[in-house]
Short mmCIF file of all heavy atoms in Angstrom, two decimals:
data_model
loop_
_atom_site.label_atom_id
_atom_site.label_comp_id
_atom_site.label_asym_id
_atom_site.label_seq_id
_atom_site.Cartn_x
_atom_site.Cartn_y
_atom_site.Cartn_z
N ASP A 43 59.93 -5.51 -23.05
CA ASP A 43 60.12 -5.36 -24.49
C ASP A 43 58.95 -5.97 -25.27
O ASP A 43 58.51 -5.41 -26.27
CB ASP A 43 61.44 -5.99 -24.91
CG ASP A 43 61.77 -5.68 -26.35
OD1 ASP A 43 62.01 -4.50 -26.68
OD2 ASP A 43 61.77 -6.63 -27.17
N ASN A 44 58.46 -7.11 -24.81
CA ASN A 44 57.33 -7.76 -25.49
C ASN A 44 56.04 -6.94 -25.37
O ASN A 44 55.20 -6.97 -26.26
CB ASN A 44 57.11 -9.18 -24.97
CG ASN A 44 58.17 -10.13 -25.48
OD1 ASN A 44 58.91 -9.83 -26.41
ND2 ASN A 44 58.27 -11.29 -24.85
N LYS A 45 55.88 -6.22 -24.24
CA LYS A 45 54.71 -5.37 -24.09
C LYS A 45 54.79 -4.15 -25.00
O LYS A 45 53.80 -3.71 -25.57
CB LYS A 45 54.56 -4.90 -22.64
CG LYS A 45 53.96 -5.93 -21.73
CD LYS A 45 53.76 -5.37 -20.35
CE LYS A 45 53.24 -6.43 -19.40
NZ LYS A 45 53.10 -5.94 -18.04
N LEU A 46 55.99 -3.59 -25.13
CA LEU A 46 56.17 -2.39 -25.95
C LEU A 46 56.14 -2.71 -27.44
O LEU A 46 55.71 -1.88 -28.24
CB LEU A 46 57.48 -1.69 -25.59
CG LEU A 46 57.58 -1.13 -24.16
CD1 LEU A 46 58.95 -0.56 -23.90
CD2 LEU A 46 56.50 -0.08 -23.93
N ASN A 47 56.63 -3.88 -27.82
CA ASN A 47 56.68 -4.28 -29.23
C ASN A 47 55.93 -5.60 -29.43
O ASN A 47 56.54 -6.66 -29.54
CB ASN A 47 58.13 -4.46 -29.70
CG ASN A 47 58.94 -3.21 -29.50
OD1 ASN A 47 58.46 -2.12 -29.70
ND2 ASN A 47 60.19 -3.38 -29.09
N PRO A 48 54.59 -5.55 -29.48
CA PRO A 48 53.85 -6.82 -29.61
C PRO A 48 54.05 -7.52 -30.95
O PRO A 48 53.84 -8.72 -31.06
CB PRO A 48 52.39 -6.40 -29.42
CG PRO A 48 52.36 -4.94 -29.53
CD PRO A 48 53.72 -4.40 -29.35
N GLN A 49 54.51 -6.78 -31.99
CA GLN A 49 54.73 -7.42 -33.29
C GLN A 49 56.02 -8.24 -33.29
O GLN A 49 56.10 -9.29 -33.91
CB GLN A 49 54.83 -6.36 -34.42
CG GLN A 49 53.64 -5.45 -34.54
CD GLN A 49 53.78 -4.20 -33.69
OE1 GLN A 49 54.24 -4.26 -32.56
NE2 GLN A 49 53.38 -3.07 -34.24
N ASP A 50 57.05 -7.73 -32.65
CA ASP A 50 58.36 -8.40 -32.62
C ASP A 50 58.64 -8.97 -31.24
O ASP A 50 59.49 -8.47 -30.51
CB ASP A 50 59.47 -7.41 -33.00
CG ASP A 50 59.26 -6.82 -34.37
OD1 ASP A 50 58.74 -7.54 -35.24
OD2 ASP A 50 59.61 -5.64 -34.57
N LYS A 51 57.90 -9.99 -30.86
CA LYS A 51 58.08 -10.57 -29.53
C LYS A 51 59.37 -11.39 -29.46
O LYS A 51 59.70 -12.11 -30.40
CB LYS A 51 56.90 -11.44 -29.14
CG LYS A 51 55.67 -10.65 -28.81
CD LYS A 51 54.64 -11.53 -28.15
CE LYS A 51 53.51 -10.66 -27.65
NZ LYS A 51 52.56 -11.40 -26.86
N ILE A 52 60.04 -11.26 -28.34
CA ILE A 52 61.25 -12.04 -28.08
C ILE A 52 60.83 -13.30 -27.34
O ILE A 52 59.99 -13.26 -26.44
CB ILE A 52 62.24 -11.23 -27.22
CG1 ILE A 52 62.64 -9.95 -27.94
CG2 ILE A 52 63.47 -12.06 -26.89
CD1 ILE A 52 63.45 -9.01 -27.08
N LYS A 53 61.42 -14.43 -27.71
CA LYS A 53 61.13 -15.70 -27.04
C LYS A 53 61.56 -15.60 -25.58
O LYS A 53 62.64 -15.10 -25.26
CB LYS A 53 61.88 -16.83 -27.73
CG LYS A 53 61.60 -18.20 -27.14
CD LYS A 53 62.46 -19.26 -27.77
CE LYS A 53 63.78 -19.26 -27.05
NZ LYS A 53 64.42 -20.47 -26.78
N PHE A 54 60.69 -16.06 -24.68
CA PHE A 54 61.02 -16.01 -23.26
C PHE A 54 62.18 -16.96 -22.98
O PHE A 54 62.17 -18.10 -23.43
CB PHE A 54 59.80 -16.39 -22.41
CG PHE A 54 59.90 -15.91 -21.01
CD1 PHE A 54 59.69 -14.59 -20.70
CD2 PHE A 54 60.24 -16.78 -20.00
CE1 PHE A 54 59.78 -14.13 -19.40
CE2 PHE A 54 60.34 -16.34 -18.70
CZ PHE A 54 60.11 -15.01 -18.40
N PRO A 55 63.21 -16.51 -22.27
CA PRO A 55 64.42 -17.33 -22.10
C PRO A 55 64.20 -18.54 -21.19
O PRO A 55 63.52 -18.46 -20.18
CB PRO A 55 65.43 -16.37 -21.48
CG PRO A 55 64.62 -15.32 -20.83
CD PRO A 55 63.35 -15.20 -21.63
N THR A 56 64.80 -19.65 -21.59
CA THR A 56 64.80 -20.84 -20.75
C THR A 56 65.99 -20.77 -19.79
O THR A 56 66.80 -19.84 -19.86
CB THR A 56 64.92 -22.11 -21.61
OG1 THR A 56 66.19 -22.09 -22.28
CG2 THR A 56 63.80 -22.21 -22.62
N ALA A 57 66.12 -21.75 -18.92
CA ALA A 57 67.25 -21.77 -17.99
C ALA A 57 68.57 -21.87 -18.74
O ALA A 57 69.57 -21.26 -18.35
CB ALA A 57 67.10 -22.93 -17.01
N ILE A 58 68.59 -22.61 -19.85
CA ILE A 58 69.82 -22.75 -20.64
C ILE A 58 70.18 -21.42 -21.30
O ILE A 58 71.34 -21.00 -21.29
CB ILE A 58 69.64 -23.86 -21.69
CG1 ILE A 58 69.46 -25.21 -20.99
CG2 ILE A 58 70.83 -23.90 -22.64
CD1 ILE A 58 69.02 -26.32 -21.90
N ASP A 59 69.16 -20.72 -21.84
CA ASP A 59 69.41 -19.41 -22.43
C ASP A 59 69.95 -18.43 -21.39
O ASP A 59 70.88 -17.67 -21.66
CB ASP A 59 68.13 -18.84 -23.04
CG ASP A 59 67.59 -19.68 -24.17
OD1 ASP A 59 68.40 -20.39 -24.82
OD2 ASP A 59 66.37 -19.64 -24.41
N LEU A 60 69.34 -18.45 -20.21
CA LEU A 60 69.79 -17.55 -19.14
C LEU A 60 71.22 -17.85 -18.74
O LEU A 60 72.02 -16.94 -18.49
CB LEU A 60 68.86 -17.66 -17.93
CG LEU A 60 67.47 -17.08 -18.09
CD1 LEU A 60 66.61 -17.45 -16.89
CD2 LEU A 60 67.53 -15.58 -18.26
N HIS A 61 71.57 -19.13 -18.67
CA HIS A 61 72.93 -19.49 -18.27
C HIS A 61 73.94 -19.08 -19.32
O HIS A 61 75.02 -18.58 -18.99
CB HIS A 61 73.03 -20.98 -17.98
CG HIS A 61 74.35 -21.36 -17.39
ND1 HIS A 61 75.33 -21.96 -18.12
CD2 HIS A 61 74.87 -21.16 -16.16
CE1 HIS A 61 76.39 -22.14 -17.36
NE2 HIS A 61 76.13 -21.67 -16.16
N LYS A 62 73.61 -19.25 -20.60
CA LYS A 62 74.52 -18.82 -21.66
C LYS A 62 74.74 -17.31 -21.61
O LYS A 62 75.86 -16.83 -21.77
CB LYS A 62 73.97 -19.22 -23.03
CG LYS A 62 74.09 -20.70 -23.32
CD LYS A 62 73.50 -21.03 -24.67
CE LYS A 62 73.57 -22.52 -24.93
NZ LYS A 62 72.95 -22.89 -26.21
N TRP A 63 73.66 -16.57 -21.39
CA TRP A 63 73.78 -15.13 -21.29
C TRP A 63 74.61 -14.73 -20.07
O TRP A 63 75.44 -13.83 -20.15
CB TRP A 63 72.39 -14.50 -21.21
CG TRP A 63 72.43 -13.04 -20.97
CD1 TRP A 63 72.64 -12.06 -21.90
CD2 TRP A 63 72.29 -12.38 -19.72
NE1 TRP A 63 72.62 -10.84 -21.30
CE2 TRP A 63 72.41 -11.01 -19.96
CE3 TRP A 63 72.06 -12.82 -18.42
CZ2 TRP A 63 72.31 -10.07 -18.95
CZ3 TRP A 63 71.97 -11.89 -17.42
CH2 TRP A 63 72.09 -10.53 -17.68
N LEU A 64 74.39 -15.43 -18.97
CA LEU A 64 75.13 -15.12 -17.74
C LEU A 64 76.61 -15.38 -17.91
O LEU A 64 77.44 -14.58 -17.48
CB LEU A 64 74.56 -15.97 -16.59
CG LEU A 64 75.10 -15.66 -15.20
CD1 LEU A 64 74.59 -14.30 -14.75
CD2 LEU A 64 74.67 -16.72 -14.22
N VAL A 65 76.98 -16.48 -18.57
CA VAL A 65 78.39 -16.79 -18.80
C VAL A 65 79.03 -15.71 -19.66
O VAL A 65 80.11 -15.21 -19.37
CB VAL A 65 78.54 -18.19 -19.46
CG1 VAL A 65 79.95 -18.39 -19.97
CG2 VAL A 65 78.19 -19.27 -18.47
N ALA A 66 78.34 -15.31 -20.72
CA ALA A 66 78.90 -14.29 -21.61
C ALA A 66 79.02 -12.94 -20.92
O ALA A 66 79.99 -12.21 -21.14
CB ALA A 66 78.02 -14.16 -22.85
N ALA A 67 78.07 -12.59 -20.08
CA ALA A 67 78.07 -11.28 -19.46
C ALA A 67 78.96 -11.18 -18.23
O ALA A 67 79.58 -10.15 -17.97
CB ALA A 67 76.65 -10.89 -19.08
N VAL A 68 79.05 -12.25 -17.46
CA VAL A 68 79.68 -12.15 -16.14
C VAL A 68 81.09 -12.72 -16.11
O VAL A 68 81.96 -12.17 -15.42
CB VAL A 68 78.79 -12.87 -15.10
CG1 VAL A 68 79.45 -12.94 -13.76
CG2 VAL A 68 77.46 -12.17 -14.98
N LYS A 69 81.34 -13.78 -16.83
CA LYS A 69 82.61 -14.49 -16.69
C LYS A 69 83.81 -13.61 -17.04
O LYS A 69 84.85 -13.70 -16.39
CB LYS A 69 82.60 -15.75 -17.55
CG LYS A 69 83.68 -16.73 -17.15
CD LYS A 69 83.44 -18.06 -17.81
CE LYS A 69 84.45 -19.07 -17.32
NZ LYS A 69 84.23 -20.37 -17.90
N SER A 70 83.68 -12.75 -18.04
CA SER A 70 84.82 -11.94 -18.45
C SER A 70 85.15 -10.86 -17.42
O SER A 70 86.32 -10.55 -17.20
CB SER A 70 84.54 -11.29 -19.80
OG SER A 70 83.38 -10.48 -19.69
N CYS A 71 84.15 -10.30 -16.77
CA CYS A 71 84.43 -9.21 -15.82
C CYS A 71 84.49 -9.67 -14.37
O CYS A 71 84.94 -8.92 -13.51
CB CYS A 71 83.40 -8.09 -15.98
SG CYS A 71 81.71 -8.60 -15.76
N HIS A 72 84.02 -10.88 -14.06
CA HIS A 72 84.07 -11.41 -12.70
C HIS A 72 84.71 -12.80 -12.71
O HIS A 72 84.01 -13.81 -12.73
CB HIS A 72 82.67 -11.51 -12.09
CG HIS A 72 81.95 -10.21 -11.99
ND1 HIS A 72 82.40 -9.16 -11.23
CD2 HIS A 72 80.81 -9.78 -12.58
CE1 HIS A 72 81.56 -8.15 -11.33
NE2 HIS A 72 80.59 -8.50 -12.16
N PRO A 73 86.04 -12.90 -12.65
CA PRO A 73 86.68 -14.22 -12.70
C PRO A 73 86.39 -15.08 -11.48
O PRO A 73 86.48 -16.30 -11.55
CB PRO A 73 88.16 -13.90 -12.81
CG PRO A 73 88.30 -12.51 -12.30
CD PRO A 73 87.01 -11.81 -12.57
N TRP A 74 85.99 -14.47 -10.38
CA TRP A 74 85.71 -15.22 -9.15
C TRP A 74 84.38 -15.99 -9.25
O TRP A 74 84.08 -16.83 -8.42
CB TRP A 74 85.63 -14.27 -7.96
CG TRP A 74 84.71 -13.11 -8.18
CD1 TRP A 74 85.05 -11.89 -8.67
CD2 TRP A 74 83.29 -13.08 -7.97
NE1 TRP A 74 83.93 -11.09 -8.77
CE2 TRP A 74 82.84 -11.80 -8.35
CE3 TRP A 74 82.37 -14.00 -7.51
CZ2 TRP A 74 81.52 -11.41 -8.27
CZ3 TRP A 74 81.04 -13.61 -7.44
CH2 TRP A 74 80.63 -12.33 -7.81
N TYR A 75 83.59 -15.69 -10.28
CA TYR A 75 82.24 -16.22 -10.36
C TYR A 75 82.20 -17.73 -10.39
O TYR A 75 81.34 -18.35 -9.80
CB TYR A 75 81.57 -15.65 -11.61
CG TYR A 75 80.07 -15.61 -11.53
CD1 TYR A 75 79.43 -14.59 -10.86
CD2 TYR A 75 79.30 -16.59 -12.12
CE1 TYR A 75 78.07 -14.54 -10.78
CE2 TYR A 75 77.93 -16.55 -12.05
CZ TYR A 75 77.31 -15.51 -11.38
OH TYR A 75 75.96 -15.48 -11.30
#
Side-chain angles (χ1 to χ4, degrees):
D43 188 66
N44 286 345
K45 281 184 184 177
L46 296 176
N47 303 321
Q49 303 90 319
D50 301 326
K51 286 193 172 188
I52 300 172
K53 182 185 85 141
F54 200 76
T56 63
I58 295 169
D59 297 334
L60 289 171
H61 188 257
K62 286 179 182 177
W63 175 81
L64 187 69
V65 168
V68 174
K69 197 167 185 178
S70 59
C71 58
H72 299 298
W74 52 267
Y75 205 80

